DNA sequence: CAGTCGTGGCG
DNA sequence: TCGCCAAGACT
């Protein structure tokens, strides 16, 4: 913590930090965006919608979330509806959004709200933070936005705004504790919910990662980053490690009736609980085809398809070759295991398929027809 | 605590 | 094409 002392000393030396709250709120009132989960001005937001949107918005853009939010709300209008749903239906509805642990936690959280809190979201930080999938940021965001509590919600937008406002040169993530302290000092007693949203909107539309529109910023004359000409390059980040490449072979097995062999992945970890085309392990380094083929779900005349499927995850890149074979019958060794299933091609849309597996199926089925 | 965990858009 | 990174949480 000693290395953050200079940053904090700097902000304490800044002129009265209260002024920006009223300016920011005035800006927010003029530029307020209409978002599906946002209440009308002056009205109280529905905690269920706030929570659902915040979970979906974790590391995900507003544009991407839009359609998913509407679909979820239509299908599960209340937290009790969501709690009563089968997990697989939630995973299916979540397909394509990524970070599938969020969907598992979403379901667990809905059940916790019903069981611990009688189906009513708690309004205090501690109880919110104890819910599955709700961390420090999301607890504060719900408390502020849904209950207008004086909570400091620090997401990536706010980190950027604060880092620029105070010209913090310490790179992320080391500077996080300092930002948290600074952000907390700035939360106003009046309209803390609107303030939280205003800070995030400012970061999303004005104080953007690249090419910030400083001339439109209501805080321009109190921004040290702007004054020093470093706003655009802040916050700094520690260099990220290179993304390794993992390779493997996916096995597209088709039965006589045209159905495809699929399996459910283990309930946690990468793509946890989602449906996949069976494949060899994904390994770094040279692709050993013979070794991979030994991992086939059954011995068959596996035919390689031209081309590969490439998919980029957060911490590695995946390259899959696709091999195809005909199964003699839809019965056999694969069927007695609970995680395996045959699926007709025209019913693939009922499966909880992550995007990488949709790519594999598209690639494989295109070559087959 | 550093690593794990998706995906799409944009410059 | 490629790297960046988005309303982070969990282990």
């Amino acid at each position: 913590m000693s290395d953050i002392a200079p940053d904090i000393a700097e902000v304490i030396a800044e002129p009265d930090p209260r002024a920006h709250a009223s300016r920011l709120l005035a800006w927010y009132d003029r530029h307020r965006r209409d978002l599906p989960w946002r209440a009308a001005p002056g009205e109280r937001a529905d905690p269920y919608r706030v929570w659902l949107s915040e979970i979906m918005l974790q590391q995900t853009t507003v544009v991407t979330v839009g359609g998913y939010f509407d679909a979820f709300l239509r299908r599960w209008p209340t937290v009790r509806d969501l709690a009563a749903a089968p997990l697989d239906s939630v995973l299916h509805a979540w397909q394509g959004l990524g970070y599938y642990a969020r969907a598992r936690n979403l379901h667990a959280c809905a059940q916790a709200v019903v069981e611990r809190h009688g189906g009513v979201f708690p309004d205090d930080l501690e109880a919110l933070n104890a819910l599955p999938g709700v961390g420090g940021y999301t607890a504060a965001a719900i408390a502020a936005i849904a209950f207008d509590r004086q909570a400091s919600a620090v997401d990536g937008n706010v980190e950027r705004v604060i880092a620029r406002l105070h010209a913090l040169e310490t790179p992320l993530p080391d500077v996080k504790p300092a930002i948290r302290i600074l952000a907390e000092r700035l939360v106003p007693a009046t309209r803390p919910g609107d303030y939280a949203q205003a800070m995030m909107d400012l970061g999303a539309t004005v104080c953007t990662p690249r090419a910030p529109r400083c001339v439109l910023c209501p805080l321009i004359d109190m921004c040290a980053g702007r004054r020093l000409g470093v706003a655009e390059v802040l916050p700094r980040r520690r260099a990220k490690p290179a993304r390794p490449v993992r390779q493997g072979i996916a096995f597209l097995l088709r039965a006589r009736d045209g159905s495809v062999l699929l399996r459910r992945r283990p309930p946690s970890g990468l793509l946890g609980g989602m449906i996949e085309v069976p494949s060899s392990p994904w390994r770094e380094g040279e692709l050993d085809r013979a070794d991979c083929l030994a991992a086939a779900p059954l011995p068959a005349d596996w035919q390689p398809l031209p081309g590969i499927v490439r998919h980029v995850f957060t911490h590695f890149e995946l390259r899959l070759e696709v091999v195809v074979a005909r199964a003699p019958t839809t019965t056999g060794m694969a069927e007695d295991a609970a995680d395996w299933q045959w699926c007709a091609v025209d019913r693939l849309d009922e499966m909880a398929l992550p995007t990488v597996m949709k790519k594999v199926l598209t690639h494989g089925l295109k070559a087959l027809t």
Side-chain angles (χ1 to χ4, degrees):
Chain A
M1 290 293 276
S2 60
D3 60 331
I4 69 172
D7 289 336
I8 294 185
E10 177 171 351
V11 76
I12 290 174
E14 286 288 316
D16 171 30
R18 288 292 159 198
H20 66 261
S22 53
R23 287 194 208 174
L24 191 61
L25 286 168
W27 172 85
Y28 182 66
D29 289 336
R30 270 182 284 121
H31 300 282
R32 192 170 174 290
R33 295 185 291 169
D34 251 340
L35 301 175
W37 45 87
R38 205 165 257 186
E43 287 186 17
R44 177 59 66 86
D46 175 7
Y48 173 63
R49 297 188 186 208
V50 173
W51 163 72
L52 179 60
S53 68
E54 288 300 338
I55 301 300
M56 288 183 168
L57 285 164
Q58 290 169 3
Q59 301 292 286
T60 308
T61 60
V62 166
V63 176
T64 302
V65 164
Y68 287 89
F69 179 82
D70 292 338
F72 267 70
L73 204 59
R74 211 175 310 120
R75 185 162 178 186
W76 299 293
T78 71
V79 67
R80 289 187 182 279
D81 298 320
L82 186 55
L87 174 59
D88 185 63
S89 66
V90 177
L91 289 175
H92 178 256
W94 197 272
Q95 65 177 329
L97 250 194
Y99 286 138
Y100 298 97
R102 291 186 296 171
R104 288 179 260 127
N105 286 329
L106 186 83
H107 189 243
C109 182
Q111 296 181 333
V113 167
V114 169
E115 289 165 14
R116 294 178 205 168
H117 305 287
V120 179
F121 274 88
D123 64 352
D124 64 290
L125 244 34
E126 190 179 351
L128 285 166
N129 209 339
L131 295 170
V134 178
Y137 159 75
T138 304
I142 296 173
I145 298 171
F147 300 107
D148 210 28
R149 300 284 293 262
Q150 200 171 346
S152 176
V154 180
D155 69 337
N157 289 305
V158 177
E159 279 183 351
R160 186 169 55 254
V161 170
I162 298 291
R164 289 172 175 174
L165 213 47
H166 301 294
L168 305 182
E169 289 284 349
T170 307
L172 287 170
D174 303 306
V175 74
K176 274 177 181 282
I179 289 177
R180 211 167 288 133
I181 292 169
L182 295 171
E184 182 142 20
R185 292 167 48 88
L186 304 182
V187 178
T190 55
R191 301 177 61 190
D194 286 341
Y195 174 83
Q197 296 175 86
M199 283 288 277
M200 291 188 276
D201 273 17
L202 186 72
T205 64
V206 174
C207 196
T208 48
R210 283 164 305 191
R213 302 169 172 87
C214 294
V215 292
L216 301 179
C217 182
L219 308 182
I220 184 169
D221 62 347
M222 48 182 80
C223 180
R226 165 77 174 179
R227 196 158 55 242
L228 298 172
V230 293
E232 186 156 7
V233 301
L234 297 180
R236 302 189 189 280
R237 296 178 186 276
R238 270 208 304 252
K240 294 174 183 174
R243 183 163 18 228
V245 176
R246 298 184 194 172
Q247 304 187 86
I249 292 182
F251 302 100
L252 194 58
L253 187 63
R254 299 204 74 185
R256 281 193 193 155
D257 64 4
S259 59
V260 175
L261 184 63
L262 302 175
R263 73 177 165 195
R264 187 176 297 278
R265 293 179 62 87
S268 65
L270 184 70
L271 307 177
M274 302 294 284
I275 302 295
E276 70 173 355
V277 175
S279 71
S280 70
W282 306 341
R283 294 203 180 93
E284 288 184 46
E286 206 67 14
L287 183 66
D288 184 337
R289 287 184 179 72
D291 190 45
C292 286
L293 286 172
L298 54 80
D301 181 27
W302 293 106
Q303 294 296 320
L305 297 182
I308 64 164
V309 172
R310 181 175 171 278
H311 190 77
V312 179
F313 291 93
T314 304
H315 55 294
F316 68 93
E317 174 184 332
L318 179 63
R319 294 176 190 169
L320 287 176
E321 288 190 3
V322 181
V323 297
V324 298
R326 290 282 177 179
T329 165
T330 59
T331 62
M333 51 75 61
E335 198 158 349
D336 48 23
D339 292 335
W340 297 82
Q341 60 181 310
W342 291 98
C343 180
V345 170
D346 61 5
R347 296 186 65 176
L348 285 172
D349 59 352
E350 299 172 17
M351 299 290 105
L353 292 165
T355 297
V356 60
M357 291 303 154
K358 290 191 175 185
K359 289 185 184 176
V360 169
L361 285 163
T362 299
H363 182 74
L365 294 175
K366 176 180 59 185
L368 283 180
T369 51

